[in-house]
Each structure stands twice: as C-alpha cells, then as structure tokens.
Amino acid sequence: MTEGIVVAVVGAFAFAAAAVLQALGAEQVSQRAAIREERRQSAKAHPSLRSTVATMLTLPFLIGFIFDIIGFVATLASARMIPLFLSQTIISSRLVATAFLAMVVLKIVLILRDWIAGAVVVVALVLLAVAAGSEGTDNERWMHWVVLVSGPLLIGLGLLCMRLLHSHIASATGLIAGVVFGVMAVSSRILDGVDPLSVSALFTDPALYALIISGIGGFYLFTVALQTGSVNGAAAALVVGQTVVPGAVGIIFLGDTTRAGWGPVAIVAFVAAVVGGVVLASSSAVTAVERADVTNMPTGYGHAPRDTDITGKDITAGR
C-alpha cells in the first residue's frame, strides 16, 4: 500500500513539474520578437508550426516531457498497486502541486481560496489513504474487451462533441478526456503478462492496446479542450472524469475495498478531494500554466478558441 501511494504521489508531482516547465518553455518562445510579430500579423493569433516546434525545442519543455513520461509510468504502476479510487485521486491532485510550483517558478500569487482548496485536498487524501483497503484482484476476460471498445468510443464521442456543441465545449471534452484516462488506468490494472512478465500474454491482451489508445486519445482530447474554451472548465471536468468513473469501476467490478468500518470516511474524503480539485482548477495559477501549455500548440480539432468563463460560456458574444 505505502509503495503504491508513494508512486502515485511521484506521478502527481511529475505531471505538475511537466506542466510548469512546458509553460515556462512556451513563455520563453512567446517573448521572442519574431514570434510576437507572427502573432500580431495573424488574424486569429493561432500558433503556427514554427512556434510549436520552437516551444518543443526549449530546454524546459524537453525536461517537462521527461517528467510527463515519469508521470505516465507512475499512473500505470499505481493503478496496479492500490485501489483506483485512491490512485486516481492522488494523480488528479497534481493541481495542488501545479499551483504551488507555479507560485514558486512563475511567480503567480495564490489567493486564500487556492490555499484552502489545496489544504482540503491534502487532508482528504491522507484520510482516503488511511481508509483504503486492498486493491481488487477480480479480473474477468470480458473486461479486457470492454476497455478496448470503450476507449475508441469515448474518443469518438469527444470528437463529436467538438463538432456539434456550441457552448461548454471545453467542459464536455475535458470530462470525456478524464474518463478516457480512467479507462487507461483500468486497463493497466487488468493487464496480463506484467507480473510475472510474459511477452506473449502481454501482447495478446486487448487491455494493452486499450491502454495505449486511451493514453494517446485522452491526451489529445484534453489538449484540444484547453484550446477550444475555458481552461478552468476543462481542468475541473478532467478531475471529475478521471476520479469518479474509474473509482466506481474499481469498487464495483475489480473488487477494490476500504478498511472495515472506514467506508463513510472514504466516501467523504473522496468527495472532498474531488471538490477541492475542481475548486483549485479555477485557480489563476492552474489557468496560467494550462493556458501557456497550449499557447504554442497548433489549433485543435473543432471550434476556434474563444474568451470564456469557468463554465465554458462564450463571453465575447455581443462585443
């Protein structure tokens, strides 16, 4: 249990470090005179391939990419070591670390609400860790095919939302991206051929391909969600999708448990951690990091970026 918690915490901090470093790289590129002139001459201020490549070649961005890999591996590992309702909640608490690192590295001031939300998340995670029981070992073959089908279907639903919705695009897509990441975590839990290692069992397991598809698809959907609407709405929705759905699947289908008599505590702690994460998603620190993270990325699939509020509502209408 302890090892799994440590791995999940490492993953959360790795994702936070990656986000802040990549934001720092984007900021460095955006300050270059040539890029500023390019943006000024662009009618929609859309980032070009030139600025995208320039961002990716900065040292902070490259180091951030390494941290992303560490976070990805930690997510998969922790999903196999502790209950999903705990591992996914810890991973989603990266927003706490993001806000803190943004304050230190990017010199962004945190308001009282951010500090309270962060403290609530930390306390809730401690209680959730104490209340958590063992990870489930239930693993029926049909689950491996379900995750393989679910990932592409959810990704397709996300793409459809981008095309059809005219409001709340970021929140809807962010929520779906979170659920897709949840499918990735479930796939990791049920994956065969890992312990003990069996190459034949590993590469013939549908869950392996579900894991890969969901990881790539979730990353793409969330990146586009950040580009097409409210950063706050997308980040908040991601927290909900990434924690609630896989947590429920772990309890209902995989056999994840809480300690005897600690069920109510686990429920309260889980809800508090999710709510705290949603509140923290509206932090100016998280907004600055997530928005800078995609500042120099090519325009995504769907509608063009708009000025929005936390719900994803277009606030440019009527100007």
Side-chain angles (χ1 to χ4, degrees):
M1 174 70 74
T2 302
E3 293 84 354
I5 293 174
V6 171
V7 170
V9 170
V10 168
F13 273 95
F15 280 133
V20 172
L21 286 168
Q22 289 163 359
L24 187 60
E27 182 182 16
Q28 289 178 359
V29 170
S30 67
Q31 295 302 315
R32 296 177 185 174
I35 299 299
R36 289 202 304 269
E37 179 63 17
E38 176 187 278
R39 295 285 180 82
R40 187 187 67 79
Q41 293 178 356
S42 174
K44 295 183 179 180
H46 287 165
S48 67
L49 179 61
R50 176 187 179 185
S51 61
T52 299
V53 173
T55 299
M56 290 181 172
L57 291 179
T58 60
L59 182 60
F61 194 97
L62 292 173
I63 297 175
F65 181 70
I66 295 174
F67 276 109
D68 263 333
I69 295 175
I70 294 173
F72 179 77
V73 173
T75 299
L76 300 182
S78 64
R80 298 181 63 88
M81 302 169 72
I82 54 179
L84 289 177
F85 65 79
L86 178 58
S87 67
Q88 291 302 102
T89 308
I90 294 175
I91 293 296
S92 70
S93 71
R94 67 182 179 84
L95 294 180
V96 177
T98 299
F100 177 77
L101 291 176
M103 178 186 68
V104 175
V105 178
L106 302 179
K107 310 302 180 184
I108 298 174
V109 178
L110 300 182
I111 62 176
L112 179 61
R113 182 188 63 185
D114 300 335
W115 287 104
I116 293 175
V120 168
V121 171
V122 172
V123 172
L125 287 178
V126 171
L127 289 175
L128 195 60
V130 173
S134 60
E135 69 280 6
T137 57
D138 297 345
N139 185 353
E140 298 183 25
R141 192 63 183 177
W142 62 266
M143 298 180 187
H144 298 243
W145 291 103
V146 168
V147 291
L148 179 60
V149 174
S150 299
L153 283 179
L154 287 167
I155 295 169
L157 178 62
L159 295 176
L160 191 62
C161 287
M162 293 176 206
R163 283 299 189 189
L164 299 181
L165 293 182
H166 298 286
S167 62
H168 308 294
I169 300 174
S171 297
T173 309
L175 178 64
I176 295 172
V179 178
V180 172
F181 281 132
V183 172
M184 182 187 74
V186 173
S187 301
S188 175
R189 166 68 69 80
I190 65 177
L191 185 61
D192 291 332
V194 177
D195 185 21
L197 179 63
S198 172
V199 175
S200 60
L202 180 64
F203 283 94
T204 56
D205 189 351
L208 173 64
Y209 305 99
L211 186 156
I212 296 171
I213 294 171
S214 298
I216 296 173
F219 177 80
Y220 174 74
L221 288 178
F222 185 57
T223 300
V224 175
L226 294 175
Q227 292 177 309
T228 54
S230 166
V231 170
N232 298 339
L238 180 79
V239 170
V240 176
Q242 190 177 18
T243 55
V244 175
V245 174
V249 169
I251 293 173
I252 297 172
F253 295 105
L254 302 180
D256 289 348
T257 62
T258 61
R259 293 172 57 190
W262 284 76
V265 175
I267 293 174
V268 172
F270 180 81
V271 172
V274 173
V275 172
V278 169
V279 172
L280 201 57
S282 65
S283 163
S284 60
V286 173
T287 302
V289 170
E290 299 287 12
R291 188 176 296 280
D293 223 1
V294 295
T295 294
N296 288 300
M297 295 299 167
T299 303
Y301 184 96
H303 301 286
R306 307 182 310 278
D307 291 331
T308 57
D309 60 15
I310 187 172
T311 65
K313 180 180 179 182
D314 190 349
I315 60 176
T316 59
R319 285 186 182 174

